[in-house]
Amino acid sequence: MHSRREFLVACSVAPIAAAAAPLNSFDDQVRRILAGMTLDEKLGQMAQPDQEFLKSPDDVKNYFLGSLLSGGDSDPRAGNGLAAWTDMIDGYQKTAIGTRLQIPILYGIDAVHGHNNVIGATIFPHNIGLGATRNAVLVERAARITSEEVRATGANWVFAPCVTVPQDIRWGRTYEGFSESPDVVKVLGEAAVRGLQRESLENPLAVLVCVKHFVGDGGTAWGLSKPKMLDQGDTRVDEATLRRVHLPGYETTVKAGAGTIMPSYSSWNGEKVSGSEKLMTGILKNELAFQGFLISDYAAIDQLPGNYKQQITRSINAGMDMVMIPGKYIEFITTLKQCAQDGSVPMARIDDALTRILRTKFAMGLMDAKRSPLADRSLHNSFGSEGHRAVARECVRASLVVLKNENQALPLAKNAAHIHVAGKSADDLGNQCGGWTIRWQGASGRPTDGTTVLEAVQRAVAPKTRVSSSIDGAGVGDAKVAIAVIGEKPYAEGMGDRADLHLAPEDVATVARLKSSGAKVIAVILSGRPVFIEDVLAQADAVVAAWLPGSEGDGVADVLFGKYRPTGKLSFTWPKASSTTLHRGDTGYETLFEFGWGLSY
Ligand code: BGC
């Protein structure tokens, strides 16, 4: 049998200059390597443990693992920092290329708004904010920076972009979606793929994308998911609706060359997507001619009916190519081996999965022995740099939506004598970044580097302007202008499912206190979705939806002080608190601000 190096010399790899070559153009090379692989080597390629559950780092070698991930809380044991991340991923990569076939691993991570697990990375607005920009060029630029920061740590695969089309804002993942409208999602999702994968996967700065969560994750019906309310639930719509609302984001991203797709935890009319042959093989692979591979969601196949063997059989036979396990990798590999040996999963299906995985690795240049799969540490210089943050700031200011601006309360004068900034989120970078920031669930406080809205206001005003601050709106003093920064605290996934979207009482009280001081009041709402704002709408002179802007608070100040004329438009309808449902299109849904609303000055 050939070693990777001998193999590469023997069949002389196609010139890597073949820009954006179709993935199946690598199949001759794949066939040759596949012919020499043992069953164990093949099965290892289909397994993706979370690195934090490896019993030993050597298991990468012992089980011929083709991939690892870091889930939302899976930091290096040496701590969370750029060097520790790079050393960890490089360490696993070195082990992988120490195997007989020297096939590098794909290291996947949720870089969903910048390389958000890593302290010091540039944190971009969550997709809901990018949706409000309606700016594909900006989304592509942001994605390019994300790919560069991910590459700096040696990771080469991101579980992004999320092209969900949330239909009910009570869902805790609403902010992961660009819009409730497939027309916005399909354009911005495609732009993100172009930015992350660049013109070709073989670009050393490109990262492999994973478009998620296929399909209908944002369409689940209220109350059908236990113990959550919407997350991982059941999307009960006919096929025409599924295709019209939830499929367009896959059509455009597959066309743009997306290398991987993640089937959703959720079900379509009672059947889990992760076990659906019709959706995964029929629609994605056959109809849309998707040539990349499917990676299951985190332990998602464990939710299929039956025992583990039945779950594996069902999912792989239906078209799943790689399984995000994340912990019981030995059991997974052993069980899949039984399935292969007793024929419950045909060898042809395993070889098809391998072909899809390996053609992706070829396309990325990972199988080229002349190219190192290790991190390019010179990229550490631009990690979280001023230049990268400047682009994030552009995204922030373009994402803000001015909902109300009475008597031209905005823009504010920079040279006011005194401005008071209040609210629980005024000086809270964690609230500003939301979930999927350093921790899976995010964290209030200062989990990473960046500029809060308060700090941004301090930087934006004239040297003589006094900026005072409070959490609760007390102590306005002689300030004629008061800014309240209020809204939601961080959450992710089903933990963010909420039946009631009213602002917290303390937020309403802060605004009321500011109002009673007689100052002009500007309310800035930081939230992962529209929330019920009637209680502050009446009191505030201006209201700005700033979503979850990320690390660059300066972008908020740019809009407040008129350095940037607001252009953001709602990518979600903003409902009234009196609505009896928040599922779009259902009777009882009442609109406060229409989709597309957004003032300027
Ligand atoms: C989420 C995915 C994510 C995966 C890996 C899951 O809980 O649903 O969006 O990519 O974890 O962290």
Side-chain angles (χ1 to χ4, degrees), residues 205-434:
L205 293 180
V207 289
L208 180 65
V209 300
C210 179
V211 187
K212 68 188 188 185
H213 309 82
F214 178 80
V215 57
D217 54 346
T220 58
W222 178 257
L224 295 180
S225 158
K226 287 187 188 116
K228 293 143 194 152
M229 299 146 181
L230 284 159
D231 195 41
Q232 307 187 6
D234 191 12
T235 296
R236 297 195 172 169
V237 295
D238 61 19
E239 184 165 341
T241 308
L242 189 79
R243 287 175 178 271
R244 183 174 44 80
V245 178
H246 300 283
L247 196 62
Y250 296 92
E251 292 167 339
T252 56
T253 53
V254 167
K255 236 187 223 146
T260 76
I261 293 176
M262 185 185 292
S264 179
Y265 280 120
S266 55
S267 305
W268 176 40
N269 293 329
E271 187 191 24
K272 285 275 175 195
V273 176
S274 310
S276 167
E277 184 171 356
K278 172 177 168 121
L279 294 174
M280 297 196 293
T281 300
I283 295 188
L284 258 190
K285 292 181 175 178
N286 295 341
E287 196 182 311
L288 299 190
F290 169 63
Q291 295 181 5
F293 70 88
L294 299 179
I295 167 84
S296 68
D297 205 341
Y298 204 86
I301 73 163
D302 302 37
Q303 296 187 14
L304 295 174
N307 60 30
Y308 201 35
K309 184 167 182 218
Q310 290 162 326
Q311 292 164 340
I312 292 174
T313 308
R314 169 79 177 269
S315 188
I316 306 281
N317 285 345
M320 197 72 79
D321 301 299
M322 186 188 280
V323 172
M324 192 184 286
I325 299 172
K328 48 181 180 182
Y329 55 98
I330 300 175
E331 191 183 342
F332 171 76
I333 290 171
T334 318
T335 314
L336 181 56
K337 193 167 182 180
Q338 284 166 18
C339 298
Q341 285 168 336
D342 68 17
S344 44
V345 176
M347 254 339 272
R349 177 71 267 277
I350 290 176
D351 283 347
D352 174 54
L354 262 285
T355 300
R356 289 169 173 275
I357 293 166
L358 291 177
R359 58 163 72 132
T360 309
K361 292 190 176 187
F362 270 104
M364 293 171 76
L366 283 170
M367 307 297 280
D368 181 349
K370 294 186 293 293
R371 269 178 71 164
S372 166
L374 302 183
D376 172 359
R377 290 180 192 238
S378 72
L379 296 173
H380 286 193
N381 298 329
S382 60
F383 189 88
S385 65
E386 286 297 309
H388 287 184
R389 288 172 190 276
V391 177
R393 175 180 183 166
E394 276 185 59
C395 293
V396 174
R397 62 195 198 180
S399 72
L400 265 55
V401 179
V402 178
L403 297 173
K404 170 182 177 179
N405 191 22
E406 213 152 81
N407 303 322
Q408 296 174 344
L410 291 172
L412 301 172
K414 283 180 180 177
N415 55 1
H418 177 193
I419 296 177
H420 188 78
V421 184
K424 68 167 188 265
S425 297
D427 195 25
D428 195 306
L429 199 64
N431 288 359
Q432 192 177 305
C433 290

Side-chain angles (χ1 to χ4, degrees), residues 409 480-484 511 514-517 519-523 539-543:
K480 299 270 183 303
V481 174
I483 302 169
V511 174
L514 295 179
K515 181 72 184 169
S516 67
S517 76
K520 171 161 93 176
V521 178
I522 314 296
Q539 314 234 18
D541 298 275
V543 179

